[in-house]
C-alpha cells in the first residue's frame, strides 16, 4: 500500500510534566468510549508559499517546532530543511543532497536541542548536528535502524527504533548522549526476547513514540494495535495500556485492498498538560472501496496521489484521570503528523488552499469535547 511507506519509520518525541506514579496496568475496556463525540480543533498556522523557496514539496511532509526558530519543515527521506517563523513566513533553507558536511541523503527526523539542530539521516545512519544557520558542527554514527528523535534533557536524545533483522522483539527506545555519541541505555519492551509471528514480521520496526510526555518519561507502541506503554528514562515501565479499541480492527497480515479496507495504524502519541493522551492514527476512508487500485509485486496498492482517497487521519483524545474518551476528529487527508509546541501537542496536516497551493496546516485542540 503506497501510503503505508511513511509508517516504516519509527516515531518519537517527549517533553515535560510531574512526578512519576507507581506502575499502572490499564485496559482500554475500562474507558468510557464516545465514538460519536467530536473535539474542537483550532488552526494555529499555515506554512507554504504559492511559489519561490517557501513552497511545500514532497509526498510525506514532516514538521517540528522550536521556540527559537519557529517551524522546521522537511520531506521524509529528503535532503533539505525549510525554516518558517511562528507566523508561517518562510525564513531560509538549510541542508542539501550529498555526503559532505551539512549535506544529507535521507532525513528521517529533525529536532532543535540546546540551540542546535539535530538531524537524523537514515541513509548515513548518523545524527548530524548543525548550528541554527545550518553550519556543520558534528556527526555521531548510529548503529541501529534509525527512527524518530527528541530531546531527553541534559544534552541527550531518545531514538525510537527496532532491529529489523532480528526475530526477537527488541528494546525500541535508545537513549543517546549528543556530546559523546554513545547510546547509554536501550529500553522500552516489556516482552523483550519474545519471538515475532509471521504477521509481526510484516510490520517489523514499525513503532511510534510520544511527541509530548511528562518530564523523564516517554510513551511508545506498535503501529498495529492500541496497546501503548509509558517508560521512564531510567528504563522502568510506568504505565501499560492493553485491550482493544473499536476503530482498530484485527490486522492479521498485510490487508488485501481489493477485498478489505486499509488497517488502522498508529501514527503518533502525546500527553498534554491536563493528562490527556492524544492518539493519532491513519485509518480507512469511508469511500476506500471506490479508489481505483494499482498492482505492485502481485499485490493491490493505492496509486501515488490517491492516498487521501483511501485513508484519513484521525485524532482521539483520552482523559486518563477520568478514564474517559473525550472524542475524535477526522481529517480527510492521510498526511497527519504530531508535533510538540513547547509542551502542548499539535497536529500538522498537508492541505491545499482554494488556489490549490500545498500548505502544512498546524492544529491545536480545545479543552474538551463537543
Amino acid at each position: 500500500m503506497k501510503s503505508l511507506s511513511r509508517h516504516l519509520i519509527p516515531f518519537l518525541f517527549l517533553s515535560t510534566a510531574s512526578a512519576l506514579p507507581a506502575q499502572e496496568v490499564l485496559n482500554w475496556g475500562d474507558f468510557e468510549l464516545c465514538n460519536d463525540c467530536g473535539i474542537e480543533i483550532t488552526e494555529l498556522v499555515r506554512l507554504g508559499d504559492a511559489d519561490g523557496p517557501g513552497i511545500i514539496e514532497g509526498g510525506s511532509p514532516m514538521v517540528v517546532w522550536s521556540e527559537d526558530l519557529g517551524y522546521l519543515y522537511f520531506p521524509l527521506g529528503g535532503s533539505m530543511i525549510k525554516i518558517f517563523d511562528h507566523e508561517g513566513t518562510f525564513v531560509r533553507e538549510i541542508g542539501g543532497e550529498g555526503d559532505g558536511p551539512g549535506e544529507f541523503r535521507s532525513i528521517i527526523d529533525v529536532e532543535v536541542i540546546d540551540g542546535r539542530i539535530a538531524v537524523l539521516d537514515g541513509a548515513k545512519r548518523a545524527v548530524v548536528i548543525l548550528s541554527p544557520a545550518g553550519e556543520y558542527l558534528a556527526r555521531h554514527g548510529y548503529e541501529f535502524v534509525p527512527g524518530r528523535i527528541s530531546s531527553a534533557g541534559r544534552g541527550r536524545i531518545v531514538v525510537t527504533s527496532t532491529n529489523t533483522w532480528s526475530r526477537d522483539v527488541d528494546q525500541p527506545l535508545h537513549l543517546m548522549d549528543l556530546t559523546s555519541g554513545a547510546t547509554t541505555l536501550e529500553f522500552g519492551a516489556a516482552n523483550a526476547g519474545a519471538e515475532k509471528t509471521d504477521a509481526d514480521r510484516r510490520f517489523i520496526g514499525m513503532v511510534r513514540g510520544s511527541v509530548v510526555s511528562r518530564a523523564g518519561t516517554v510513551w511508545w507502541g506498535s503501529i498495529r494495535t492500541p496497546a501503548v506503554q509509558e517508560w521512564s528514562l531510567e528504563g522502568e515501565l510506568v504505565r501499560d495500556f492493553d485491550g482493544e479499541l473499536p476503530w482498530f480492527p484485527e490486522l492479521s497480515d498485510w490487508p488485501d485492498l481489493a477485498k478489505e479496507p486499509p488497517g488502522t495504524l498508529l501514527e503518533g502519541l502525546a500527553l498534554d498538560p491536563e493528562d490527556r493522551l492524544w492518539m493519532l492514527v491513519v485509518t480507512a476512508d469511508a469511500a476506500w472501496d471506490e479508489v481505483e487500485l494499482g498492482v505492485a509485486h502481485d499485490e493491490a496498492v493505492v496509486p501515488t496521489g490517491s492516498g487521501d482517497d483511501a485513508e484519513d487521519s484521525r485524532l482521539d483524545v483520552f482523559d486518563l484521570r477520568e478514564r474517559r474518551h473525550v472524542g475524535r476528529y477526522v481529517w480527510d487527508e492521510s498526511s497527519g503528523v504530531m508535533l510538540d509546541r513547547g509542551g502542548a501537542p499539535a497536529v500538522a496536516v498537508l492541505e491545499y488552499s482554494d488556489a490549490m497551493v500545498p500548505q502544512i496546516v498546524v492544529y491545536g485542540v480545545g479543552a474538551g469535547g463537543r
Side-chain angles (χ1 to χ4, degrees), residues 317-337:
V317 177
F318 301 88
D319 188 318
L320 300 187
R321 297 170 185 168
E322 298 183 4
R323 302 290 191 269
R324 178 175 65 92
H325 175 222
V326 176
R328 54 98 185 98
Y329 188 90
V330 179
W331 288 270
D332 192 27
E333 289 90 11
S334 61
S335 59
V337 294

Side-chain angles (χ1 to χ4, degrees), residues 11 13 15 39-45 63-65 71 148 210-213 267-273 276 278-280 315 317 331 335-349 360-366:
F11 201 137
F13 283 102
S15 193
I39 52 178
E40 297 178 353
I41 64 168
T42 302
E43 181 178 317
L44 302 176
V45 69
V63 61
V64 298
W65 181 89
Y71 296 90
R148 300 292 305 272
S210 50
V211 271
V212 187
S213 187
E267 178 56 41
L269 296 164
L271 191 72
D272 69 19
R276 301 182 306 176
W278 295 30
M279 180 183 291
L280 182 68
L315 174 67
V317 177
W331 288 270
S335 59
V337 294
M338 276 191 175
L339 64 151
D340 175 7
R341 294 184 73 257
V347 175
V349 180
I360 294 177
V361 187
V362 181
Y363 294 96
V365 169

Side-chain angles (χ1 to χ4, degrees), residues 49-317:
D49 299 336
D51 51 37
I55 63 174
I56 299 300
E57 303 169 285
S60 297
M62 307 292 288
V63 61
V64 298
W65 181 89
S66 160
E67 183 177 3
D68 295 331
L69 298 178
Y71 296 90
L72 289 78
Y73 152 77
F74 58 99
L76 187 64
S79 60
M80 304 294 293
I81 301 167
K82 296 185 179 185
I83 300 176
F84 297 81
D85 67 18
H86 295 285
E87 285 70 47
T89 301
F90 175 76
V91 177
R92 63 180 174 275
E93 185 176 72
I94 61 176
E97 186 172 3
D99 295 315
E103 296 178 335
F104 305 100
R105 289 294 182 186
S106 180
I107 297 176
I108 302 303
D109 198 16
V110 174
E111 187 61 82
V112 181
I113 301 170
D114 299 333
R116 299 168 295 170
I117 302 173
V119 183
L120 180 57
D121 190 317
K124 295 182 178 181
R125 294 285 185 92
V127 177
V128 179
I129 311 299
L130 304 177
S131 74
E135 301 163 330
Y136 173 83
L137 299 177
R139 169 177 169 166
H140 300 303
Y142 183 68
E143 61 181 292
F144 304 98
V145 177
R148 300 292 305 272
I149 63 174
S150 184
S151 173
R154 294 183 290 171
R156 303 173 300 169
I157 62 172
V158 174
V159 183
T160 305
S161 176
T162 296
N163 183 350
T164 60
W165 303 111
S166 172
R167 289 176 59 87
D168 295 334
V169 176
D170 303 302
Q171 303 287 8
L173 305 176
H174 303 148
L175 187 63
M176 181 179 182
D177 185 280
L178 279 185
T179 300
S180 66
T183 298
T184 59
L185 182 65
E186 300 172 35
F187 65 108
N191 59 344
E195 185 174 335
K196 297 183 178 77
T197 66
D198 288 341
D200 289 333
R201 283 192 287 274
R202 297 297 296 271
F203 292 86
I204 289 172
M206 298 184 189
V207 295
R208 291 293 185 265
S210 50
V211 271
V212 187
S213 187
R214 296 177 293 175
T217 75
V218 60
W219 294 74
W220 83 278
S222 166
I223 70 168
R224 301 178 67 243
T225 77
V228 296
Q229 299 175 350
E230 182 184 23
W231 287 75
S232 76
L233 296 181
E234 285 70 46
E236 296 180 352
L237 181 61
V238 178
R239 286 191 275 196
D240 187 0
F241 282 71
D242 204 351
E244 304 298 328
L245 292 171
W247 53 92
F248 272 85
E250 183 177 355
L251 188 60
S252 59
D253 207 338
W254 201 279
D256 181 356
L257 298 183
K259 302 176 182 177
E260 56 186 322
T264 297
L265 299 173
L266 179 65
E267 178 56 41
L269 296 164
L271 191 72
D272 69 19
E274 286 75 43
D275 205 33
R276 301 182 306 176
L277 184 66
W278 295 30
M279 180 183 291
L280 182 68
V281 303
V282 173
T283 191
D285 185 276
W288 67 270
D289 54 351
E290 298 177 12
V291 176
E292 185 175 345
L293 301 174
V295 177
H297 306 293
D298 297 324
E299 291 186 340
V301 297
V302 176
T304 301
S306 298
D308 292 343
D309 297 326
E311 294 177 312
D312 296 334
S313 296
R314 169 174 171 154
L315 174 67
D316 288 271
V317 177

